Amino acid sequence: MLKITDLEKIYRTEDIETVALNKLSLEVKKGEFVAIMGPSGCGKSTLLNIIGMLDDAEKGSFMFNGEEIIHFNERRRADLRKRNIGFVFQSFNLIDELTVYENVELPLLYLGVDAAERKQKVEAVLEKVQIMHRRNHFPQQLSGGQQQRCAVARAVVNTPKLILADEPTGNLDSTNGNEVMQLLTELNEAGTTVIMVTHSEHDARFAHRIIRLLDGKVVMENILG
Amino acid sequence: MFKNHLKIALRILLRNKVYSFVNILGLAIGVSACLVIYLLVSFELSFEDFQPDRERIYRVTSGFKGQQGENYYNPGLSAPMPASLAQEISGIEYLSACHVWSARTSLPNDKKDGKNPAKIWKNDNSEVLVCQPEYFKIFNYEWLAGSPKTALTTPNQVVLSQTEAEKYFGKIPLAQVLGKQLYFNDSLATTVTGVVKDFPVNSDFKFKNFISFKSIEAKNWRKEFQLDQWTNTNSSSMAFVKLTQNAKANTVNAQFPAFLKKHLDQKDEWNNGRMLSLQALSDIHFSDTLQDNFSRQVHLPTLYTLLGIAGFLLLIAAINYVNLSTAQSITRVKEIGVRKVLGSNRKTLVIQFLCETFIITTLAVFFSVLLVEPILWIFKEFIPKELSFNVLSPNILGFLGIITLGTCVLSGLYPAWMISAYQPVSSLKNQVSSGGQTRTALLRKALITFQFTASQVFILGTIIVATQSKYMLSKDLGFKKDAIVNFHTDWNDVNSNKKNVLIQKLKQIPEIAIVSLGETPARNGYSTNRVTYKEGEKEIKLDVHRRTIDENYIPMFGIKILAGRNITNSDTAKEFIINETYAKALGFKKPEQAVGHFLVYSGGKGDYKLPIVGVVADFHLQSLHKAIQPLYMMSETKYESAINVKIHSKGQSSTDFKTVLAKIEKAYKEIYPNSYEEFSPHFFDESIAKFYEKEERFAKILNTATGVAILISCMGLFGLVAFTTQQRTKEIGIRKVLGASVMQIMQLLSKDFLKLVILGIFIATPIAYWAMNQWLQDFAYRIDISWWIFTLGGIASITIALISVSYQSVKAALMNPVKSLRTE
């Protein structure tokens, strides 16, 4: 699905250079569930942003579905992103002014899907994450778990090939956290590739493989049974 | 505590530089507009208010009933009237006959001394006044030398104002000025018997030479000043009165009809329509109907319009403040929560926020004071030159104080009240929603709509005024106006043959195509004559406009002859040419039917009955404010002094014009070497453009007001969009992650504001339509307000709003979502 070779990313401020990714290489196969772990500042989020095509790297290669995309411009990256990748964030990142239904509908709107198909897809996915009954509520009226389920629904509504989850349970209690992890596992079992950044060993065990980062490098890989 | 407030307020201002800048600049522009308009309006309204007993001072003015039910008014009265009025009308304490005289002044010793060129001062109308000693009892002058008791009691005396005395005699002790000799128009010798202090600048009475009325009672002067003419009314011949303590203007007015009946020949039907009435001193500066030749009239409705504009601009600027500060307050909920938890009550918070407003307003007022002089300079052509700006004068300081406090309360109270209302718990939890249909958001929308409604009314007004101006300057007036120069021959020489010699000379200049005698086809002012058409039972008496012309006149101005023939040159009137309107008024359906009929008009020596030899197509006789009236033209070259010169169409660059003008001037000087009149040629098209000076000034005021309104509104919009995009950074990031394009983000951010702008356009349309329709009623010939004006105005508004929104929205749309979302 994606292959990263010798990726480098450096953040510069006026007098400090921070190496976020240091010649990092990584491969993720189609249908895999990968957890990325490591201490704060090890480059987890940077890596996820680059994989999510939200950020670009200085050097290295990034093959996505067999295509080199490291030199893609913003517009082409955005286009590739909205067709292939769904995002789940720690802080949910739902839009406060939109209802649950409207939040989930948003990616389809940007893909130009027609109204009838949108309705059908959104309702299907809301059923799946079991918040159909709250479809007309605003995010602030929901519990944390419900919000994250809504965010997951939004991430998968356009059936992306890859889901990127950035500490999806970080803001949730264990019951709600488990529900969300269950949801991600089901999606993975249905064929979606999942890459998840997490601090939680518990959550990481849901994955097939754990990649551990330190100082912008992969230091260890655990393959789970 | 207060110091603490100020410190916090200053910090907040510095932290939010964009909002502070927008707020201060917007308010400064609004306040300076207010300040300049206040200066102007208060100056104009203060005219003559220094005059003691001003409510008892009046001018006796004349009126005439016109034929078509229209009345004409004249600020003067027949010269013999004042003497009789003083004796016969009760309720008058003092009366002075006055004559405005545009006489030259010269010093006698200069004339004798062959070495020095004669020192001559040309005075304009507002400088020389012939008056009776009572004038100084009506108007209160401060005497610096001489005595009001004796100063103007005998012939050949003159009283000077202080500046005038210094102009003639230099800076010598004023007592030494007494007894000096002065000549007026070389022939009236006077002795200075008094010096008075000049009136302050806020007076129309700028007279500086006061000649004793007894001087003009001598035989030769009597005739020149028409002192025995009961039938003529000249605006230069006036009477001022001071009523007795208990007298009412009404009771004095009531005596005038009987007075006129007694003195005027009732057999002359013209006299039946004559009226006299008192005009209050305070009305002279503002009168629409009584235009004299010394005062400067101000259009009172214009002043009120200006006041309205000032109020609107200030309001729009205050709205910016309300909008920005209520929007911005979201970012301060936490601070408010903390303050409340720590024991602050709502009152203290309101005071704190008002402190911030106060600082902003004070800074704005400070900058607006700096802007006043540049603004006065930009508008110098229609701001009276006497008007000066002195920040430290008590009036201005008072006004600035009121403006500062007023603006502070107007723009600060609501935000302060609203912000301080946040509940501490939800404030601390940051649970105050920034969007949604809260009351404040609704208010903000209403205010933006209001701003853009006001701007749109201004925009539409500007377009309509510009369209009407263009129409007036480009409309086919029925005659040609390009490359034609007019000037007058020396007034003192009108009847001599000299002008014919000049015409011959001009004809020899190769660049000149045609020369013609006669007042220009369209001109300011008018003169009409009573003309009678009588055939059988039918008798039509009309006041008819007239032009004296020569045979070159009609070809030169390209006026179309519809029937009959051109006029033939003649020293005294022999035949008439009339216009189509007159022909129709006389009942002729076709122009050719009028030819051959006779008209009777009264000239200096009885009635003349002359034939109509031609009918011309209508052309405009006055500005387009006035409809075309009946007109007759005749050749009476003996009395005509206006010369028109048409320059050949080839080589009409401005330098060519200059050389031709120089040649004309040379010829003029050769014929009139001693002329006191300055040779002042005018291009005819420029004279026509001058008809519309008032409109041009109005257009300039409107353009500026529009510019300022748009600028302030757009600054507000800019600030608000900056704020919203900041508020919505995260949302924009999410949307980008989910696949929104830059265009989609821009649409998202602009849409909400554009809706309000469009709503404003719709509200403004009927208001502007109504207001401009009122304005257009002033013109007999006017444009139709058509749909394209509103379309154009709407597009302009939307474009301007889009531009002010786009910078921020593009910036927001291009933002890297990674940065926007990195908040955890």
Side-chain angles (χ1 to χ4, degrees), chain B residues 506-507 509-515 552 645-649:
Chain B
L506 291 173
K507 278 180 177 166
I509 299 174
E511 291 90 339
I512 289 177
I514 323 177
V515 183
N552 284 337
V645 170
K646 167 107 181 168
I647 298 169
H648 269 305
S649 51

Side-chain angles (χ1 to χ4, degrees), chain A residues 11 49 54-55 74 81-82 87 89-91 93-95 97-98 106-107 110 154, chain B residues 434-436 730-731 734-741 744 816-818 821-822 824:
Chain A
Y11 292 112
N49 285 336
L54 296 172
D55 210 347
E74 162 99 25
R81 178 173 68 224
K82 71 178 170 190
F87 291 87
F89 302 94
Q90 176 183 5
S91 55
N93 278 343
L94 296 170
I95 295 174
E97 287 76 16
L98 303 181
L106 213 51
Y110 290 133
R154 191 178 63 182
Chain B
S434 56
K730 197 169 162 194
E731 180 198 336
I734 299 169
R735 285 177 184 271
K736 281 195 81 176
V737 168
L738 295 178
S741 66
Q744 280 165 325
N816 187 347
V818 174
L821 295 179
R822 197 164 43 210
E824 292 96 77

Side-chain angles (χ1 to χ4, degrees), chain B residues 297-353:
Chain B
Q297 262 86 26
V298 177
H299 193 221
L300 213 48
T302 305
L303 289 189
Y304 293 139
T305 311
L306 278 175
L307 279 180
I309 288 177
F312 260 98
L313 293 180
L314 193 62
L315 197 58
I316 290 176
I319 285 175
N320 272 358
Y321 187 87
V322 173
N323 275 344
L324 287 175
S325 50
T326 52
Q328 205 195 335
S329 66
I330 302 291
T331 59
R332 301 183 60 182
V333 287
K334 199 164 179 187
E335 176 200 337
I336 293 150
V338 174
R339 281 182 188 275
K340 281 197 171 173
V341 169
L342 294 180
S344 169
N345 60 18
R346 198 162 171 189
K347 202 176 108 195
T348 0
L349 283 171
V350 167
I351 291 173
Q352 187 200 327
F353 286 113

Side-chain angles (χ1 to χ4, degrees), chain A residues 78-140:
Chain A
D79 196 54
L80 202 59
R81 178 173 68 224
K82 71 178 170 190
R83 291 179 196 290
N84 294 295
I85 305 175
F87 291 87
V88 179
F89 302 94
Q90 176 183 5
S91 55
F92 325 135
N93 278 343
L94 296 170
I95 295 174
D96 290 343
E97 287 76 16
L98 303 181
T99 62
V100 166
Y101 184 94
E102 287 161 347
N103 263 294
V104 175
E105 188 187 27
L106 213 51
L108 299 175
L109 275 174
Y110 290 133
L111 276 174
V113 176
D114 69 60
E117 195 184 340
R118 282 205 308 267
K119 187 165 188 282
Q120 180 236 320
K121 281 193 166 179
V122 173
E123 285 177 355
V125 76
L126 286 177
E127 288 288 0
K128 196 169 168 187
V129 302
Q130 294 164 15
I131 47 167
M132 189 60 184
H133 60 296
R134 324 267 341 223
R135 51 183 293 181
N136 289 327
H137 288 85
F138 288 94
Q140 283 177 347

Side-chain angles (χ1 to χ4, degrees), chain B residues 148 164 199 278 343 630 734 820:
Chain B
E164 199 76 344
F199 269 169
L278 292 180
I734 299 169
S820 325

